[in-house]
Amino acid sequence: AMADAADQKMSFLEHLGELRTRIVWSLIPTLIGMIVAFRFSDRIITFVARPLSTVNVELIALTPTETFWTSMKMALIAGVFLATPVILWQVWAFVVPGLHTHERRFAGPFIIIGSLLFVLGGAFALFVVMPFSVIWLTNFGQSQGVRAMYSVALYADFVMKFTLAFGVIFEVPLALTMLSRMGVVTPQFLAKNRKYAILLNVILAAFLTPTGDVLNLSLMAGPLIVLYEVGILAARIFGGRAGAAAETVPAS
């Protein structure tokens, strides 16, 4: 019994060591991407501030260092998006020991599709959700007689949280498909527990929404629910460890 406990402890420590290694190898390309993106930080800030021009609002800096540190944070988020393929490769390398041999060939699709979904989620936030929510919320405030002048740091935090959150939630179909292939869940289980998933999606959207208002909660919860349904469909088509394993067993 003591030997088993020691083996379990060593296995746990080995997993922690492996996780630390994967995190380090994810941080390195992220920092490289951050350095590259920092050279274009002025263009990034101008881009994310474009919805404000339609409602006649300007960004202001409340401290001498605010713009610099905002540029650094924006460059870091851009670095995460640039490093997404490498980060997903590290995720794959961490989970691959739990996969069957015939499932390990999905490394390429996992990295490519995961990267595309993450970027697509960020683009959806920047081009669809952000302009709509910023303009609507600003107009609402101005209709109450409030003159809007936004801090560049607070506005950037608002944009970055939305962008990262949508990048992550767009990974839902891929995550559900992978869980199905690993035998953790089945499409039938996901469909049967749809109502609980919708409730969890709304709670998650409330947690991820920076402002906490009903509009932005709906803008995040809606895509989450749709992506869950897409995930069920993808799990039906591409998931299923049992089915995949059966294909590899010759008929007797």
Side-chain angles (χ1 to χ4, degrees):
M2 293 181 62
D4 291 341
D7 290 342
Q8 290 178 358
K9 184 177 180 180
M10 284 300 296
S11 178
F12 178 72
L13 293 176
E14 288 171 359
H15 277 88
L16 282 182
E18 176 73 9
L19 179 61
R20 182 182 61 184
T21 300
R22 297 305 169 189
I23 291 174
V24 169
W25 282 108
S26 296
L27 288 176
I28 293 174
T30 300
L31 292 175
I32 295 174
M34 174 183 171
I35 294 171
V36 173
F38 186 74
R39 294 176 56 89
F40 305 94
S41 58
D42 55 339
R43 298 183 186 181
I44 295 174
I45 292 178
T46 300
F47 174 75
V48 299
R50 75 197 188 286
L52 298 177
S53 61
T54 63
V55 285
N56 199 26
V57 175
E58 61 179 339
L59 293 176
I60 60 172
L62 302 179
T63 66
T65 59
E66 184 172 339
T67 304
F68 173 77
W69 287 115
T70 300
S71 298
M72 290 287 288
K73 287 191 289 186
M74 297 287 279
L76 176 61
I77 300 303
V80 171
F81 278 88
L82 291 174
T84 297
V86 180
I87 294 173
L88 289 177
W89 170 254
Q90 297 304 320
V91 172
W92 179 267
F94 182 72
V95 303
V96 74
L99 300 178
H100 286 167
T101 303
H102 65 273
E103 294 170 333
R104 299 183 182 186
R105 68 181 187 274
F106 293 106
F110 173 80
I111 294 169
I112 295 172
I113 296 173
S115 299
L116 290 175
L117 288 174
F118 190 70
V119 172
L120 184 61
F124 181 77
L126 290 174
F127 288 98
V128 179
V129 177
M130 285 305 307
F132 179 78
S133 61
V134 167
I135 293 171
W136 188 89
L137 291 170
T138 302
N139 283 332
F140 179 82
Q142 291 176 342
S143 69
Q144 306 297 313
V146 178
R147 183 185 175 190
M149 295 180 67
Y150 297 150
S151 157
V152 62
L154 295 178
Y155 178 78
D157 285 344
F158 175 72
V159 174
M160 288 187 292
K161 288 176 181 177
F162 254 112
T163 305
L164 274 180
F166 271 93
V168 172
I169 67 173
F170 265 61
E171 300 287 351
V172 167
L174 180 63
L176 294 181
T177 303
M178 292 302 299
L179 289 173
S180 177
R181 291 208 64 85
M182 294 172 69
V184 178
V185 297
T186 64
Q188 294 76 18
F189 173 84
L190 296 172
K192 182 179 179 181
N193 293 277
R194 180 181 285 106
K195 58 184 178 181
Y196 302 109
I198 292 175
L199 176 61
L200 288 175
N201 284 340
V202 173
I203 295 174
L204 180 61
F207 178 76
L208 293 175
T209 303
T211 57
D213 60 279
V214 176
L215 172 68
N216 286 312
L217 188 151
S218 301
L219 288 173
M220 185 167 290
L224 255 175
I225 294 170
V226 172
L227 289 166
Y228 183 82
E229 296 297 329
V230 173
I232 294 176
L233 179 61
R236 290 185 187 277
I237 298 174
F238 303 107
R241 161 169 283 189
E247 293 176 2
T248 62
V249 179
S252 56

